[in-house]
Amino acid sequence: MNFFLTHLLELSQLVVGDMEYRKDIDGLRALSVVSVIAFHAMGSVISGGFIGVDVFFVISGYLITSIIIFETINGKFSFISFYERRFRRILPAFFLVSFLSLFVSVFCLSPNQMKDFAQSFAAAGVSASNFLFWHEAGYFDADSSLKPLIHTWSLAVEEQYYLFFPLFFCFLLKKREGIVIAFIISLMVSSFVFSLYIINKDSAANFFLLPSRVWELVSGSLCAWILYRRSLPKSAILSFLGIVMILSSFFIFSEETPFPGVYTSIPVVGVMLVILFSSNDHVVGRTLGVAPLSFIGLISYSAYLWHQPLFVFSRIIGSKDLSVPMIGILVFVTFLLSVLSWKFVETPLRNKNFLSRKVVFLSSFVVIAGMVAIGASGHISHGFMKQRFNDDQASVFMSSNLDDAAERCQYSRDDSVQSINRAPCVYNPDGGVAIAVVGNSHATPISPELGKEVAQRNMSVIQYAIGGCYELTDDAHGICAAWHNKVIDDINHNENIKYVVISYRNDGYVMDSKYISSMNRMVDSFLKRNKVVIYVMQAPVIMHHIDKYIYDNLKYISAPVASRSLESWRDMYIGFDEIKSMLPDKVIVIDPAEYFCSSEECYAIRDKRALYVDDNHISPYAASLVSKQIVNAILSQGGWEPDR
């Protein structure tokens, strides 16, 4: 216990000088970081653990604003000292974790993953990773659980906030109280309203960018101002209500909850209640202030930095679904490294006597410049591909890339109603007869390859693909239904479209009566317009991400690499026979398993080419195999001898 108390007192002096140190705030930090780590470890148990970041934002706004007020009224505040403190507080541990992550990534990331990592490495260095992850957000974007530095987006948001807020706040501190309050409230309201406005237009921008997060940080600033100007009576009931609002948010919300937005106000107000009304005389303050919990709060920054790379690299090297013992080991290692980096990196460098201000600024800018240079090199060299892999290995990796144009042309269930009305992409637009490719994201890879196959036959291909829509016309989402109804109408009224290729990922949906009913209506509507319908069955789902198959078989990359048995795929795809039986006899059925599998095994890699871009979407090479069969089917309908 003495160990905890000693370091609590030491750090309070390093951070805030003579300002009152509140152990309950570090207790809140502990809850925040534990919830975030728990969410990334087992999100099904604590589905709203990501809200810990929102709690961090409010705490940060409170602490930084409190320090600014305290130092200003005591004549000690200067901008150069403020930013020096931010450099000492944020950068040392950040540099350590970032460069160690870079070292590990060289040995376990594919070229695509390494290229993405290099970009995030550079962006994080200049506190702009939130812009990068916003720009990257899309249906085919890599899973966030496989991005080592994605958690730096929140650090970027904070640093961007502290570029402008102190300047305005310090200027207004010299004005009347009403002006300060008006400034804070106007920032809160405008940011909150902006979040509500943009949440349905660009959910990624709403999540990652500063304008929709300012109100959370300013909420903490408001608490600091209130406590500076008013002596509020402490309240056990209100502080308890606050902690209930925070803890309940960790469990009642999930990734499906629109965030930030109206729901975010619950944990944000909860944190404000604890900050404003918590006291050591009440159960909430005493509980949050216990030494072990406060100590976790002290190391929370390091814990936040370490946990994401540790979990990501473990998932990449091993399995995406971590076992309970492995989760326990990773949590232990996270906190062990956090204690070490806090003790030997964070704490010494916060001491102004350790390094001069000039050295801190100069060395920081040199390291940041190095991060940008390394990141740019990784981007240009496609993840340092030639430096890490031979030609055959690089060729297989490159074959697992999705066609960029096809990805850009894909609609999304996250689109607005207005955006789904845009014209679809057309391959070979000067062609006479048209082929419409309709489906969810599984139709996307087929369109450009089919376009190549029919380019010399005076035929065009129209891509109608929407990511994330498993439902057809009877969905509760709204966008999927609106999009499908529009597409069906467009196809049926386009006389140039003679052929319709249908391709969906539908495992788990084909036994649903609504799905079957919707599919039948769509197919029947095309047949009634005398269009030839070609139904492409779902390609086999492989057991792991394609990068793992390539990485694990680098020495034998010329040989086919099997993923699963054909029998196991047939057992998983329980709707195989149901789909065939529900389709009218006029519909031509193509089963990719006939080309991706032998009589016993289904392959992830074949002919020195990857068949997938992840674990279920087929690669351009695989799509070319399917497209050849589609062309054969079309030619046979026209009375020509199909290609062999």
Side-chain angles (χ1 to χ4, degrees):
M1 185 67 71
N2 288 336
F3 170 80
F4 291 125
L5 292 175
T6 299
H7 286 288
L8 287 173
L9 292 171
E10 287 178 355
L11 193 69
S12 68
Q13 294 302 311
L14 283 172
V15 176
V16 294
D18 297 323
M19 198 176 79
E20 179 187 0
Y21 170 66
R22 291 182 56 176
K23 292 186 290 185
D24 58 335
I25 300 300
D26 272 326
L28 275 181
R29 278 175 165 167
L31 292 182
S32 302
V33 75
V34 168
S35 71
V36 171
I37 294 173
F39 172 74
H40 289 146
M42 41 187 180
S44 59
V45 176
I46 181 167
S47 59
F50 62 89
I51 293 170
V53 173
D54 302 273
V55 176
F56 269 128
F57 284 153
V58 182
I59 295 172
S60 176
Y62 164 70
L63 290 175
I64 297 302
T65 306
S66 296
I67 293 172
I68 293 174
I69 292 173
F70 177 81
E71 292 188 345
T72 300
I73 63 176
N74 285 282
K76 298 178 180 179
F77 181 82
S78 73
F79 288 108
I80 192 71
S81 295
F82 175 82
Y83 290 113
E84 178 192 358
R85 184 163 52 239
R86 294 300 297 171
F87 274 50
R88 289 179 181 272
R89 169 77 175 96
I90 299 298
L91 294 183
F94 166 74
F95 287 154
L96 174 65
V97 174
S98 297
F99 277 92
L100 284 177
S101 298
L102 173 66
F103 176 77
V104 175
S105 68
V106 170
F107 298 98
C108 66
L109 297 188
S110 69
N112 286 339
Q113 290 172 327
M114 189 67 199
K115 179 181 178 181
D116 290 343
F117 175 84
Q119 292 170 166
S120 65
F121 186 76
V126 294
S127 297
S129 57
N130 59 327
F131 287 100
L132 174 69
F133 295 127
W134 164 55
H135 176 73
E136 289 181 346
Y139 189 82
F140 288 100
D141 182 31
D143 187 339
S144 62
S145 67
L146 301 178
K147 292 184 174 182
L149 297 181
I150 192 169
H151 60 324
T152 62
W153 75 267
S154 63
L155 306 182
V157 166
E158 281 196 61
E159 295 317 303
Q160 291 159 20
Y161 176 73
Y162 292 124
L163 281 178
F164 80 88
F165 179 80
L167 298 174
F168 290 99
F169 188 72
C170 287
F171 172 76
L172 292 173
L173 272 178
K174 303 173 184 178
K175 307 298 180 181
R176 295 195 307 272
E177 180 179 3
I179 296 177
V180 178
I181 291 294
F183 170 70
I184 292 175
I185 297 299
S186 63
L187 267 184
M188 287 181 63
V189 172
S190 59
S191 172
F192 186 73
V193 170
F194 176 79
S195 176
L196 298 181
Y197 167 77
I198 201 174
I199 194 168
N200 292 319
K201 296 181 178 295
D202 191 337
S203 58
N206 184 53
F207 186 86
F208 285 115
L209 300 188
L210 175 63
S212 54
R213 295 287 184 172
V214 163
W215 70 276
E216 299 177 61
L217 289 149
V218 175
S219 296
S221 300
L222 178 61
C223 291
W225 179 256
I226 291 173
L227 292 178
Y228 162 59
R229 299 295 297 182
R230 300 286 185 271
S231 179
L232 295 179
K234 301 305 178 182
S235 170
I237 295 176
L238 290 177
S239 59
F240 182 76
L241 175 62
I243 207 70
V244 169
M245 293 171 73
I246 297 169
L247 293 177
S248 61
S249 298
F250 294 157
F251 296 95
I252 64 176
F253 297 134
S254 70
E255 290 182 286
E256 298 300 316
T257 307
F259 251 76
V262 173
Y263 297 107
T264 320
S265 61
I266 296 176
V268 167
V269 171
V271 179
M272 294 178 70
L273 290 175
V274 173
I275 292 174
L276 292 173
F277 298 105
S278 173
S279 166
N280 289 332
D281 296 329
H282 301 142
V283 64
V284 171
R286 288 198 303 270
T287 303
L288 290 174
V290 296
L293 199 57
S294 292
F295 184 72
I296 293 175
L298 289 181
I299 64 170
S300 60
Y301 176 59
S302 279
Y304 183 74
L305 287 176
W306 280 113
H307 87 279
Q308 180 71 5
L310 286 171
F311 277 89
V312 167
F313 290 127
S314 296
R315 287 188 166 105
I316 290 173
I317 296 171
S319 171
K320 186 178 177 182
D321 297 319
L322 298 173
S323 65
V324 173
M326 178 55 70
I327 290 173
I329 292 171
L330 290 172
V331 170
F332 173 78
V333 173
T334 293
F335 282 102
L336 175 62
L337 292 174
S338 300
V339 171
L340 294 175
S341 60
W342 170 77
K343 175 67 176 176
F344 298 107
V345 179
E346 284 191 68
T347 303
L349 285 165
R350 289 184 192 180
N351 190 333
K352 293 184 178 181
N353 296 323
F354 186 77
L355 290 175
S356 69
R357 175 181 293 169
K358 182 178 180 180
V359 171
V360 168
F361 281 131
L362 183 60
S363 59
S364 296
F365 286 127
V366 169
V367 175
I368 290 171
M371 293 180 71
V372 172
I374 292 171
S377 298
H379 172 78
I380 294 170
S381 64
H382 203 99
F384 307 106
M385 186 162 57
K386 290 185 178 180
Q387 290 79 12
R388 299 192 296 142
F389 304 103
N390 62 39
D391 290 344
D392 286 343
Q393 294 167 344
S395 177
V396 177
F397 273 121
M398 291 302 293
S399 69
S400 66
N401 293 336
L402 184 67
D403 184 280
D404 289 338
E407 182 179 354
R408 288 194 299 271
C409 289
Q410 178 177 281
Y411 297 85
S412 171
R413 70 179 298 164
D414 294 325
D415 288 343
S416 64
V417 175
Q418 292 76 19
S419 63
I420 66 172
N421 290 322
R422 64 176 170 83
C425 289
V426 181
Y427 303 89
N428 316 324
D430 295 330
V433 174
I435 308 168
V437 180
V438 183
N440 53 23
S441 59
H442 278 224
T444 300
I446 294 174
S447 302
E449 297 305 317
L450 183 57
K452 295 173 186 176
E453 289 292 328
V454 301
Q456 301 303 316
R457 302 181 187 275
N458 194 34
M459 300 177 78
S460 61
V461 173
I462 306 174
Q463 177 178 319
Y464 291 105
I466 183 167
C469 283
Y470 294 88
E471 313 90 344
L472 302 182
T473 56
D474 292 328
D475 74 293
H477 192 271
I479 292 295
C480 296
W483 183 87
H484 275 96
N485 289 330
K486 178 182 183 301
V487 167
I488 292 170
D489 187 65
D490 287 351
I491 292 173
N492 284 331
H493 287 87
N494 188 337
E495 295 183 358
N496 289 330
I497 297 177
K498 304 297 184 184
Y499 305 93
V500 181
V501 177
I502 299 175
S503 177
Y504 284 84
R505 178 173 187 175
N506 48 26
D507 54 304
Y509 286 83
V510 293
M511 302 300 291
D512 181 79
S513 59
K514 286 186 176 181
Y515 180 88
I516 293 174
S517 172
S518 299
M519 179 61 73
N520 280 332
R521 284 202 303 273
M522 182 167 68
V523 171
D524 288 342
S525 72
F526 295 149
L527 293 175
K528 287 178 182 178
R529 295 282 181 156
N530 296 318
K531 300 182 189 297
V532 176
V533 178
I534 302 167
Y535 191 96
V536 179
M537 304 286 284
Q538 181 181 330
V541 174
I542 57 178
M543 304 300 290
H544 304 286
H545 194 285
I546 187 62
D547 286 340
K548 182 170 177 59
Y549 289 102
I550 301 174
Y551 230 110
D552 289 350
N553 295 275
L554 285 176
K555 293 182 180 179
Y556 315 102
I557 205 66
S558 297
V561 177
S563 166
R564 66 188 308 155
S565 68
L566 178 59
E567 181 182 1
S568 72
W569 167 240
R570 295 298 190 212
D571 290 341
M572 175 185 172
Y573 196 21
I574 57 175
F576 179 78
D577 293 328
E578 284 74 9
I579 288 179
K580 282 192 171 182
S581 63
M582 81 177 187
L583 294 171
D585 293 337
K586 290 183 178 181
V587 175
I588 301 169
V589 178
I590 293 176
D591 182 11
E594 295 180 9
Y595 317 106
F596 297 1
C597 309
S598 66
S599 59
E600 296 182 353
E601 295 179 314
C602 293
Y603 296 102
I605 302 171
R606 204 187 78 181
D607 305 326
K608 297 184 181 181
R609 295 290 183 272
L611 296 181
Y612 296 84
V613 299
D614 44 36
D615 64 352
N616 66 93
H617 295 95
I618 61 177
S619 67
Y621 173 68
S624 72
L625 299 178
V626 174
S627 296
K628 285 181 171 61
Q629 300 308 314
I630 294 173
V631 170
N632 284 344
I634 291 173
L635 292 176
S636 65
Q637 291 294 307
W640 294 303
E641 183 68 18
D643 295 340
R644 298 296 182 188

